[in-house]
Amino acid sequence: MSEERFGEFVLVRRHERGHVAELVLDRPKAMNAVSTEMARSLAGACAALGEDRGVRAVVLTSSHERAFCVGADLKERNSFSDADLVRQRPVARAAYTGVLEVPVPTVAAVHGFALGGGCELALSCDVIVADRTAVMGLPEVSVGVIPGGGGTQLLPRRVGAARAAELIFTARRVEAGEARELGLVDVLVDEGRDREEALAMATRIAANSPVGLRAAKRALRLGHGLDLAAGLEVEDAAWRAVAFSGDRAEGVAAFNEKRRPQWPGE
């Protein structure tokens, strides 16, 4: 396993087997509160992972034992002038967009607090695995703002418009069991097993065609919210992008020869 640090607070681990990378939130002294520096590093790490053709799946994890991420660094924000806040906005937004736009499947491994921007980072992933200590929520209206890392758009896509409205307007926290019932969490595991299960899932994902995975994610994301006819056109375009690839030829050959495919990734 190799490690690469992006700034002081973000770590990328590339596992030697399985084509899986971990994107680690690593600011434990602040429970991974997202500062300007951390946001910039997170965007840079996501861009690097997207360009790495050897990575087929990414797991978003935390180095803190009791928190995934508690959201924006409000201590830093408290010192900002209005001009500072305006300047920081595109940096902060790029961090959340960076996770959302990673072109390969992403799995969040959540334990402890995932609040505000921390919840939004999890929502930006394709699948959320959480252990029973997880506490999630979007409390931004309680401090005079709104979710600004995608929460108002991503949460209703998971739990429905009315439920998202209730959660955002009340600013209440949701514990793991309820989060699973609402669909805010996809897989609920025993305490301490979120990272293990997320990595296992990512390894299963990464065994598949890298060309197919990227195209499938693109079709899922671009087609969401479109009417059926338009969505099927998105799917057809993605199918055409993979139908004549080396991965497709290898996948069919391996199936017929009853062996594991050796994906060329092109």
Side-chain angles (χ1 to χ4, degrees):
M1 180 170 62
S2 65
E3 294 188 350
E4 180 181 4
R5 187 163 287 280
F6 290 79
E8 186 178 356
F9 304 128
V10 176
L11 177 68
V12 169
R13 296 191 186 111
R14 289 176 172 84
H15 293 251
E16 292 179 3
R17 293 183 179 180
H19 300 277
V20 172
E22 278 185 87
L23 178 59
V24 186
L25 306 175
D26 189 30
R27 195 187 179 200
K29 291 182 179 179
M31 299 181 84
N32 291 329
V34 182
S35 63
T36 305
E37 179 186 347
M38 186 174 177
R40 189 175 289 113
S41 298
L42 191 55
C46 289
L49 288 170
E51 293 170 0
D52 187 342
R53 303 300 292 192
V55 173
R56 300 179 191 170
V58 173
V59 177
L60 181 61
T61 64
S62 162
S63 65
H64 195 284
E65 292 182 357
R66 294 186 297 107
F68 177 72
C69 172
V70 294
D73 187 340
L74 296 185
K75 290 184 179 179
E76 180 188 60
R77 292 273 181 93
N78 193 47
S79 68
F80 279 4
S81 66
D82 288 351
D84 291 333
L85 192 58
V86 169
R87 280 191 293 270
Q88 194 223 26
R89 175 58 179 165
V91 178
R93 188 175 180 187
Y96 300 103
T97 304
V99 176
L100 186 65
E101 294 183 351
V102 170
V104 298
T106 51
V107 183
V110 177
H111 59 266
F113 297 113
L115 302 173
C119 184
E120 289 173 307
L121 288 173
L123 288 170
S124 296
C125 293
D126 299 302
V127 180
I128 300 175
V129 175
D131 81 359
R132 295 188 181 278
T133 69
V135 178
M136 305 180 75
L138 296 174
E140 284 85 351
V141 297
S142 71
V143 294
V145 290
I146 70 165
T152 65
Q153 305 305 305
L154 295 170
L155 186 60
R157 284 168 164 78
R158 274 191 162 267
V159 304
R163 182 61 68 198
E166 183 262 320
L167 293 174
I168 291 170
F169 295 160
T170 63
R172 72 180 179 90
R173 298 180 178 187
V174 179
E175 295 189 359
E178 183 184 2
R180 177 65 186 91
E181 290 175 4
L182 294 175
L184 179 52
V185 163
D186 301 302
V187 179
L188 184 61
V189 296
D190 291 336
E191 181 176 347
R193 292 196 59 243
D194 54 296
R195 177 177 176 268
E196 176 187 349
E197 177 57 34
L199 285 170
M201 182 183 295
T203 300
R204 292 193 296 273
I205 290 169
N208 297 308
S209 158
V211 171
L213 289 171
R214 286 176 178 245
K217 177 163 180 174
R218 190 164 62 249
L220 283 163
R221 288 290 176 89
L222 292 177
H224 188 91
L226 300 179
D227 64 54
L228 180 58
L232 290 173
E233 290 301 319
V234 168
E235 181 181 83
D236 186 64
W239 180 87
R240 290 175 185 276
V242 302
F244 309 103
S245 68
D247 274 14
R248 195 276 306 170
E250 168 62 11
V252 172
F255 177 83
N256 283 289
E257 294 166 16
K258 296 181 173 56
R259 60 173 175 81
R260 288 186 178 182
Q262 301 296 315
W263 305 115
E266 58 185 21

